[in-house]
Amino acid sequence: MSQRFRAPNTLRDRSALLGATPPPSGRSSPFNQPLNEPTGHRYVDDLEGQNDEALEGLSAKVKLLKDITIGIGNEVRESTIQLSQMNDAFSETSGVLAGTFRRMNNMAERQGCRWLWYIIFLVFVFWFFIIVWWFRR
């Protein structure tokens, strides 16, 4: 009554169903080796070789990252020194400017309003020279 369907040999052949297998990539794997070769010792040696290559590649990348990190650290140290020197220079400059501004205010209080006319005259002279220079270009 129940009769089992038997597939022809062409359906049982995997390469006929799925097409040709791709060529090996050069890496050793138990799946791309021929079935008649023993896979024990050779497979372990191939894996050890791949692991050694990967380890060398990783160690080179770690060394590169270490060098980059050391370079960044050196740059940060140098920048910190330069920033502290700039901070000191700006502090000195602000002190000098504050003293100059204080002396200028004392002079202005002693001379009354005459300093304002000097400043207006200087601005007019500078403006005149700039206009003359602009038209002579």
Side-chain angles (χ1 to χ4, degrees):
M1 291 179 120
S2 75
Q3 193 173 16
R4 197 165 192 194
F5 176 73
R6 202 151 202 173
N9 283 341
T10 58
L11 293 179
R12 287 186 177 189
D13 186 15
R14 187 176 200 155
S15 64
L17 283 175
L18 301 175
T21 58
S25 63
R27 294 180 176 251
S28 65
S29 169
F31 302 111
N32 64 2
Q33 291 180 355
L35 293 177
N36 58 2
E37 286 187 18
T39 59
H41 192 268
R42 181 173 175 216
Y43 176 65
V44 171
D45 288 341
D46 288 343
L47 282 180
E48 284 294 325
Q50 289 176 4
N51 285 342
D52 290 341
E53 290 173 9
L55 186 63
E56 289 172 5
L58 285 175
S59 64
K61 289 178 183 177
V62 167
K63 183 181 180 323
L64 179 67
L65 285 174
K66 181 182 175 184
D67 293 341
I68 289 172
T69 306
I70 289 172
I72 290 172
N74 291 338
E75 186 67 30
V76 166
R77 270 187 235 100
E78 291 172 6
S79 297
T80 303
I81 291 170
Q82 288 178 354
L83 284 175
S84 67
Q85 290 172 349
M86 285 178 57
N87 189 24
D88 294 342
F90 283 135
S91 295
E92 291 174 12
T93 304
S94 67
V96 169
L97 287 177
T100 304
F101 187 70
R102 189 177 356 93
R103 285 193 299 272
M104 188 180 78
N105 281 338
N106 289 339
M107 181 190 71
E109 287 176 4
R110 280 184 287 182
Q111 291 188 358
C113 194
R114 214 166 60 185
W115 67 272
L116 181 64
W117 291 110
Y118 289 136
I119 291 176
I120 291 173
F121 176 74
L122 288 174
V123 167
F124 178 73
V125 169
F126 283 133
W127 178 75
F128 179 74
F129 281 120
I130 289 173
I131 295 295
V132 169
W133 175 76
W134 182 263
F135 286 117
R136 291 187 86 177
R137 269 185 12 165

